[in-house]
């Protein structure tokens, strides 16, 4: 559909411009990544796996290789894999894809100063020159999902199933609630955090409770959303997703999805590593840099193309307004930083 095609073209254009200059080197660029869940989880881990596949497709298999250890939700197991990869010296970049893995890199990265590491979602590089950090402005797509959902809800009650109140999961939920309330101040958004990223039965139970309390729209984030999606399908109500497209699983219930395109970040990290810069930068994917895109399911609204075009027009307006709001916030932050610098200079002159 038109909306999906437009998003795809934007990402490809940005990705192509940022693609590493691959590659005057004799050996392929090698990446190893550990992730907490499966490569087909329709959520967090799949978003990184898909990004690595996209990088490989663009650079070519002869120029880019990667190893991906999925389902490593136990931190100690991830630590073993990360250390083994670092000790081998075979990899140009080692990725710890999970906010729970940051503590590993604090100890590991200094032991291997010639190896580049990346982790997320977070913005802390720990002051280390060989660590990159990355996160997602998930509140941006969350806001758009929430606004559209509130406009579509007939009951005025929306159910949110969150995992743990941290990182991009919290950003998404907070953004969704803000967007829904901005669209309809009278809407009721019931949020439940189940304190797990992977507990599908508990997520299913939370979704069923939302439905029993009158919700005719559901959303959620993390790999446990397969349960709530099944609840949405069974009850013939709408589903709004994030991290990857869940349109295939959600079928007629699926409406709108925020998609992470980590390849935008990975391309720049690879380029920097090839230039000898092993870390020290924190990245945020967002709507402006193409790291976040929105996708309207072709199955939404029973395939009614007129309705889909109407909603997509609303999505495009929201993308523009959210991007402008983010730019304004960045300008405010820059002004505050400038004011603080001026105050410091005044203090210095007073000391003199």
């Amino acid at each position: 559909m038109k909306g999906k095609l437009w998003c795809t073209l934007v990402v490809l254009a940005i990705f192509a411009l940022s693609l590493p200059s691959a590659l005057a080197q004799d050996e392929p660029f090698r990446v190893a990544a550990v992730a907490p869940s499966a490569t087909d989880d329709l959520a967090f881990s799949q978003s990184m796996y898909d990004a690595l596949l996209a990088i490989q497709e663009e650079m070519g298999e002869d120029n880019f290789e990667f190893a991906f250890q999925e389902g490593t939700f136990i931190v100690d197991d991830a630590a073993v894999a990360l250390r083994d990869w670092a000790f081998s010296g075979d990899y140009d970049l080692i990725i710890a894809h999970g906010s729970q893995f940051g503590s590993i890199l604090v100890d590991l990265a200094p032991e291997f100063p010639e190896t580049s590491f990346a982790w997320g979602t977070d913005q802390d590089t720990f002051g280390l020159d060989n660590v990159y950090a990355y996160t997602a402005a998930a509140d941006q797509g969350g806001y758009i999902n929430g606004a559209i959902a509130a406009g579509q809800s007939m009951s005025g009650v929306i159910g949110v199933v969150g995992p743990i109140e941290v990182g991009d999961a919290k950003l998404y939920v907070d953004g969704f609630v803000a967007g829904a309330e901005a669209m309809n101040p009278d809407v009721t958004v019931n949020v439940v955090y189940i304190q797990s990223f992977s507990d599908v039965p508990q997520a299913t139970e939370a979704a069923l409770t939302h439905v029993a309390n009158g919700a005719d729209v559901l959303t959620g984030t993390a790999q446990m959303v397969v349960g709530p999606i099944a609840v949405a399908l069974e009850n013939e109500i709408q589903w709004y997703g994030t991290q990857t497209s869940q349109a295939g699983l959600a079928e007629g219930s699926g409406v709108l999805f925020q998609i992470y395109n980590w390849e935008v970040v990975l391309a720049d990290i690879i380029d920097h590593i090839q230039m000898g810069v092993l870390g020290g930068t924190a990245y945020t994917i967002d709507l402006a840099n193409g790291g976040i895109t929105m996708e309207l399911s072709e199955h939404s609204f029973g395939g009614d193309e007129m309705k889909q075009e109407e909603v997509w027009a609303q999505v495009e307006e929201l993308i523009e307004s959210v991007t402008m709001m983010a730019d304004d916030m960045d300008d405010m932050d820059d002004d505050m930083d400038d004011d603080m610098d001026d105050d410091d200079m005044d203090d210095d002159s007073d000391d003199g």
Side-chain angles (χ1 to χ4, degrees), residues 127-206:
L128 298 173
D129 293 335
N130 62 329
V131 174
Y132 290 101
Y134 57 86
T135 192
D139 52 328
Q140 294 185 358
Y143 186 96
I144 295 169
N145 271 359
I148 297 298
Q152 295 301 315
S153 174
M154 300 298 293
S155 69
V157 180
I158 298 173
V160 180
V161 182
I164 300 173
E165 203 169 354
V166 296
D168 65 304
K170 175 174 168 51
L171 282 173
Y172 174 74
V173 173
D174 290 349
F176 186 96
V177 173
E181 293 178 345
M183 176 62 71
N184 178 8
D186 296 324
V187 73
T188 298
V189 184
N190 295 319
V191 178
V192 173
Y193 284 98
I194 66 169
Q195 304 307 313
S196 171
F197 290 97
S198 58
D199 192 334
V200 175
Q202 191 173 355
T204 302
E205 187 63 32

Side-chain angles (χ1 to χ4, degrees), residues 99-270:
S99 56
Q100 63 268 53
F101 302 142
S103 60
I104 302 172
L105 297 192
V106 172
D107 297 325
L108 184 63
E111 293 184 38
F112 299 91
E114 301 303 313
T115 299
S116 182
F117 298 86
W119 80 293
T121 54
D122 206 286
Q123 291 187 302
D124 193 352
T125 63
F126 312 117
L128 298 173
D129 293 335
N130 62 329
V131 174
Y132 290 101
Y134 57 86
T135 192
D139 52 328
Q140 294 185 358
Y143 186 96
I144 295 169
N145 271 359
I148 297 298
Q152 295 301 315
S153 174
M154 300 298 293
S155 69
V157 180
I158 298 173
V160 180
V161 182
I164 300 173
E165 203 169 354
V166 296
D168 65 304
K170 175 174 168 51
L171 282 173
Y172 174 74
V173 173
D174 290 349
F176 186 96
V177 173
E181 293 178 345
M183 176 62 71
N184 178 8
D186 296 324
V187 73
T188 298
V189 184
N190 295 319
V191 178
V192 173
Y193 284 98
I194 66 169
Q195 304 307 313
S196 171
F197 290 97
S198 58
D199 192 334
V200 175
Q202 191 173 355
T204 302
E205 187 63 32
L208 287 169
T209 299
H210 282 317
V211 173
N213 290 330
D216 62 353
V217 173
L218 293 175
T219 190
T221 178
Q223 57 266 33
M224 51 69 174
V225 296
V226 294
I229 290 173
V231 171
L233 271 170
E234 182 180 350
N235 289 274
E236 298 182 346
I237 61 176
Q238 292 186 349
W239 171 261
Y240 293 74
T242 185
Q243 298 181 327
T244 64
S245 173
Q246 298 142 6
L249 181 63
E251 298 179 355
S253 288
V255 178
L256 189 61
F257 303 95
Q258 171 176 239
I259 299 173
Y260 292 175
N261 304 297
W262 294 117
E263 55 268 35
V264 172
V265 165
L266 291 176
D268 197 65
I269 290 176
I270 293 169

Side-chain angles (χ1 to χ4, degrees), residues 10-72:
V10 169
V11 173
L12 290 176
I14 295 173
F15 181 32
L17 288 172
S18 60
L19 191 66
S21 49
L23 282 153
Q25 58 184 38
D26 294 331
E27 295 293 324
F29 192 95
R30 294 187 175 93
V31 175
V34 64
S37 49
T39 58
D40 59 354
D41 67 353
L42 297 176
F44 186 71
S45 295
Q46 183 173 336
S47 69
M48 179 56 70
Y49 185 74
D50 288 349
L52 289 166
L53 286 175
I55 292 281
Q56 186 175 63
E57 183 177 353
E58 290 297 323
M59 292 176 63
E61 292 186 9
D62 293 338
N63 294 320
F64 184 86
E65 298 175 356
F66 72 94
F68 198 97
Q69 183 165 310
E70 61 183 325
T72 315

